[in-house]
Amino acid sequence: MFSLEGFLGTSAPFYLDLATVYFAFLPFLMAFSIYFAVKKEYKKHFISQAIILGTTLIIVVIFEIGVRISGGFLEYSKYSNVSFDFMLVFLTIHILIAIAAVAGWLFLFISSYKAYKNNTFDGKKHKKIGKAIFAALTISSIMGIFIYLFLFVF
């Protein structure tokens, strides 16, 4: 999987194409799941969040393994026309937002489940935190797509 040629027509390997496409769709998957909560279909919201979160974690693990095997950012940035310094700053910001978003998402998922089971669930607090996580995941996804473009297209 890590040495397979990608499918997006660039020099990127398969695992990077897979991760890029998944994260391009992630905000839409999240919006679909949130729609269940808006419609008060909480069980569907919970199940869809579990599936999306689990899939996201699997994609992140695949991505991280692939990056470590391939030499990662330093190796890929050698062939980019985009300034290395700019890319490094952009990547650092992306990583910080992505870690915060996924950690927050995990925390919200687990704490909300526990609160629901203990009849202490606070919908307003959940919604507020959920909006912030959705925004952070969306920003992180967009930044990840741009990193792919900076490394393999521009």
Side-chain angles (χ1 to χ4, degrees):
M1 170 190 282
F2 299 112
S3 61
L4 293 175
E5 189 176 308
F7 54 88
L8 292 178
T10 68
S11 61
F14 178 84
Y15 79 91
L16 280 176
D17 285 2
L18 176 69
T20 301
V21 169
Y22 177 77
F23 286 108
F25 282 104
L26 180 60
F28 300 102
L29 295 170
M30 294 291 293
F32 183 71
S33 178
I34 292 165
Y35 178 74
F36 287 136
V38 169
K39 291 292 190 178
K40 301 193 183 322
E41 296 179 30
Y42 301 122
K43 186 173 183 178
K44 288 181 181 179
H45 174 65
F46 174 77
I47 291 169
S48 62
Q49 282 293 302
I51 292 168
I52 298 166
L53 177 58
T55 304
T56 299
L57 293 174
I58 290 167
I59 295 292
V60 168
V61 167
I62 291 168
F63 170 82
E64 289 297 332
I65 291 170
V67 166
R68 303 298 176 254
I69 289 172
S70 67
F73 172 73
L74 291 177
E75 185 61 31
Y76 293 130
S77 65
K78 291 177 186 176
Y79 307 103
S80 176
N81 293 322
V82 178
S83 159
F84 179 81
D85 292 337
F86 169 79
M87 285 287 300
L88 189 58
V89 170
F90 195 87
L91 178 65
T92 301
I93 294 167
H94 165 70
I95 290 169
L96 292 173
I97 294 170
I99 289 170
V102 173
W105 189 11
L106 268 169
F107 170 79
L108 183 62
F109 183 82
I110 293 167
S111 64
S112 296
Y113 178 74
K114 287 180 180 179
Y116 179 77
K117 287 293 187 184
N118 295 328
N119 290 323
T120 59
F121 182 76
D122 181 354
K124 288 182 181 182
K125 182 178 175 184
H126 178 87
K127 186 176 179 179
K128 183 178 180 181
I129 295 169
K131 284 181 177 182
I133 291 168
F134 176 80
L137 286 169
T138 300
I139 290 166
S140 178
S141 292
I142 292 167
M143 290 182 80
I145 292 165
F146 271 97
I147 291 168
Y148 180 94
L149 294 172
F150 293 155
L151 292 175
F152 301 106
V153 177
F154 300 139

